[in-house]
Amino acid sequence: MNSVRAEHPAAGAQVRPLIAELEIRQRVEELGRQIREDAGQREIVLICILKGSVVFAADLLRAIPGDVALEFLRAKSYGQSQVSSGKLEILQDVDRDLAGSYVVIVEDIIDTGLTLHGLQKLFRARKVETLKTVALLLKPQQDHQVEVDYFGFRIGSEFVVGYGLDWAERLRNLPYIGVVEGSS
Ligand code: 5GP
């Protein structure tokens, strides 16, 4: 991967590539195989946490062999800024009863852990049989006690974009993950 800073015309921001497309693809394939291995023959219900996880969930879905269902949940904890607002709000819920199911929460990135903490509480209350969590990225500081069963990459505390992750709704379409270093 070229490590030279690239000007992204859509946002006017400097994006420094951090994790290459190929690296992500290979890791997602490994995660998919691992998740299936652990679940055995069970139907896996992936819960895609909108919007940031949509690209990851779409790739992960295809990387898991066997019986897999996909549900969406939209939760908000960041708003339009790069600073956590500290509160989790459910904006759109799943549309099936998850009692007795083998559920895997699909998160884009864990920062403080606040979002995941709230989500895990929510799904446990719904009496799922098994609750697993996969996060593509882990940031170093987790204030809230959360269990992450699978993760793609550990990163630093920098603000990242691409592969579904946004910067004020932009840059989700980058096929790689990068660090925003400037703004227009
Ligand atoms: P947490 O609740 O763990 O502090 O934050 C999780 C959510 O904040 C993620 O699902 C994501 O939407 C957002 N977030 C945290 N760090 C970043 C980041 O570096 N880039 C982007 N685009 N979103 C982030």
Side-chain angles (χ1 to χ4, degrees), residues 42-48 67-71 94 96-98 101-106 132:
R42 296 290 313 266
E43 181 203 35
I44 296 167
V45 184
L46 290 184
I47 313 284
C48 170
D67 207 358
V68 190
L70 181 64
E71 288 289 327
V94 300
R96 76 179 251 185
D97 179 10
L98 294 171
S101 301
Y102 192 105
V103 168
V104 179
I105 298 173
V106 183
K132 302 271 190 189

Side-chain angles (χ1 to χ4, degrees), residues 52 77-78 84 107-116 139 155 158-161 165-167:
S77 69
Y78 253 66
S84 176
E107 259 287 28
D108 49 1
I109 184 166
I110 312 295
D111 185 4
T112 64
L114 178 68
T115 310
L116 184 58
K139 281 191 171 180
I155 62 166
E158 63 268 25
F159 191 82
V160 293
V161 293
L165 285 156
D166 75 312
W167 178 64

Side-chain angles (χ1 to χ4, degrees), residues 49-51 73-77 88-92 115 119:
I49 308 303
L50 295 170
K51 300 177 189 175
L73 184 140
R74 190 161 172 216
K76 194 175 184 177
S77 69
L88 179 72
E89 201 184 335
I90 304 294
L91 302 175
Q92 182 190 323
T115 310
L119 292 170

